[in-house]
């Protein structure tokens, strides 16, 4: 089959499962033949041999089943870094860049702060902050060993000497330590949210957090204060409809200066708070 015909055929079959069927087909074909996209336009008449076509069919079938492009490609762009991802980690979302942006606004450029990232997954937030603030020391925690393996690969790929990974549940592995700022993109989807059905390829433990989606944020609100220095800052990503609940939870645990920020779509998605007096 010619390249142009293979693309047209795959595009038609992907149109139900993808918002960008042609782009996906082109990218997956490039990956299969290990050529840049320009090659597809320069050589539409090239013919795919049987074996190559079979490999292309395999990745198209994965995409039709709803598997995210990032898992098929094994990488995802986040904060200008090409990060490794695997089904053990969430695919980093563009909206999480708001959390990074807000954290960087808090951390002075030359600061030598201790930063904690709870539930780091692929390490996206940790490596973004580590690369922008090389004088800071970042500790990135995750309960999943498989996720930490991906984070480790990203730290190595980007040659970051200021990120340490720790295995365990939330604050457990860093008890007794003190940080200047804590960031987290915890699971926050309601366990009965039908949106989860579309996210079945991603680790549910990184997405769902109890019936109101607040189980993980409850833990963060209760436990992070003890790990922060005076005036320490907490930043949490959450769902657009959780702004008030998150503020109430933080208020209940004595956090002050609670302020929620909107993402580019105008949705309230990241709350920043300061540790109140102990
Ligand atoms: N923003 C993600 C989604 O709804 C959820 C990420 C999370 O739970 N941390 O697709």
């Amino acid at each position: 089959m010619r390249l142009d015909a293979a693309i047209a055929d795959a595009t038609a079959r992907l149109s139900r499962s993808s918002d960008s069927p042609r782009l996906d087909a082109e990218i997956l074909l490039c990956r299969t033949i290990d050529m840049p996209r320009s090659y597809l336009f320069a050589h539409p008449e090239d013919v795919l041999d049987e074996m190559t076509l079979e490999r292309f069919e395999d990745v198209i079938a994965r995409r039709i089943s709803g598997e995210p492009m990032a898992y098929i490609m094994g990488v995802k762009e986040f904060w200008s870094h090409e990060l490794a991802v695997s089904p053990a980690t969430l695919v980093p979302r563009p909206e999480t860049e708001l959390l990074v942006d807000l954290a960087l606004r808090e951390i002075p450029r030359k600061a030598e702060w201790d930063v904690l990232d709870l539930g780091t997954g692929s390490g996206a937030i940790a490596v973004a902050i580590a690369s922008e603030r090389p004088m800071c020391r970042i500790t990135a925690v995750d309960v999943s060993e498989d996720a930490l393996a991906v984070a480790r690969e990203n730290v190595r790929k980007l040659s970051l000497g200021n990120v340490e990974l720790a295995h365990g549940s939330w604050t457990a592995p860093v008890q007794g330590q003190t940080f200047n700022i804590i960031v987290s993109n915890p699971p926050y989807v309601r366990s009965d949210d039908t949106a989860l059905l579309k996210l079945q390829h991603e680790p549910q433990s990184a997405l769902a957090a109890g019936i109101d989606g607040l189980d993980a944020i409850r833990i963060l609100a209760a436990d992070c204060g003890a790990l922060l220095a005076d005036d320490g800052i907490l930043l949490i990503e959450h769902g657009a409809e959780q702004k008030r609940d998150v503020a109430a939870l933080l208020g209940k645990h004595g956090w002050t200066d609670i302020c929620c920020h909107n993402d580019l779509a105008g949705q309230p998605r990241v709350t920043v708070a300061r540790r109140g007096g102990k």
Side-chain angles (χ1 to χ4, degrees):
M1 191 186 282
R2 284 168 50 125
L3 294 187
D4 52 0
I7 292 169
D9 176 64
T11 302
R13 288 157 58 214
L14 284 169
S15 57
R16 272 217 223 141
S17 43
S18 168
D19 294 335
S20 50
R22 186 169 182 98
L23 182 64
D24 291 3
E26 288 176 3
I27 291 173
L28 292 172
L29 184 54
C30 292
R31 176 187 183 273
T32 308
I33 62 175
D34 197 17
M35 285 291 182
R37 238 170 110 214
S38 54
Y39 188 90
L40 305 180
F41 309 114
H43 302 278
E45 73 292 341
D46 263 20
V47 173
L48 290 169
D49 64 53
E50 197 77 4
M51 252 174 68
T52 313
L53 191 58
E54 228 166 78
R55 286 195 290 118
F56 183 51
E57 284 299 322
D58 280 351
V59 289
I60 292 297
R62 286 170 67 183
R63 186 67 186 125
I64 288 173
S65 84
E67 189 169 343
M69 283 295 283
Y71 290 160
I72 303 175
M73 302 298 288
V75 290
K76 175 76 184 178
E77 191 88 7
F78 183 83
W79 201 266
S80 81
H81 300 302
E82 185 176 86
L83 297 182
V85 292
S86 90
T89 71
L90 279 192
V91 176
R93 312 283 204 262
E95 57 264 35
T96 301
E97 292 183 338
L98 170 65
L99 178 73
V100 173
D101 187 35
L102 291 168
L104 294 175
R105 280 192 228 168
E106 299 288 347
I107 310 171
R109 202 155 272 285
K110 293 271 163 63
E112 296 182 20
W113 282 14
D114 288 297
V115 180
L116 177 63
D117 175 16
L118 292 176
T120 196
S122 64
I125 298 167
V127 301
I129 295 177
S131 64
E132 296 284 348
R133 293 291 182 273
M135 316 276 277
C136 289
R137 296 163 295 273
I138 326 292
T139 304
V141 171
D142 208 284
V143 73
S144 157
E145 293 268 24
D146 291 341
L148 282 180
V150 177
R152 193 168 296 115
E153 184 180 342
N154 285 319
V155 170
R156 189 192 48 77
K157 242 171 84 166
L158 299 170
S159 308
L160 295 166
N162 57 337
V163 182
E164 199 175 300
L165 302 173
H167 178 233
S169 177
W170 302 117
T171 59
V174 290
Q175 285 302 315
Q177 297 184 40
T178 305
F179 299 89
N180 302 96
I181 183 165
I182 300 177
V183 295
S184 184
N185 172 19
Y188 52 73
V189 180
R190 281 182 285 110
S191 52
D192 65 352
D193 192 330
T194 51
L196 290 173
L197 297 173
K198 280 202 184 151
L199 303 171
Q200 274 172 348
H201 288 268
E202 294 187 84
Q204 298 297 295
S205 60
L207 288 164
I211 195 68
D212 60 0
L214 292 167
D215 282 3
I217 293 177
R218 252 181 228 107
I219 294 173
L220 297 175
D223 295 352
C224 286
L227 297 176
L228 281 172
D230 290 343
D231 273 339
I233 306 156
L234 173 65
L235 285 95
I236 304 177
E237 178 178 322
H238 52 74
E241 70 299 340
Q242 292 171 327
K243 171 180 168 173
R244 284 180 53 185
D245 289 336
V246 171
L249 269 173
L250 290 168
K252 190 178 119 192
H253 288 281
W255 294 88
T256 61
D257 301 335
I258 300 164
C259 181
C260 186
H261 296 261
N262 291 352
D263 64 12
L264 289 175
Q267 301 290 330
R269 296 301 304 282
V270 177
T271 292
V272 182
R274 260 160 232 283
R275 200 201 74 166
K278 278 187 181 165

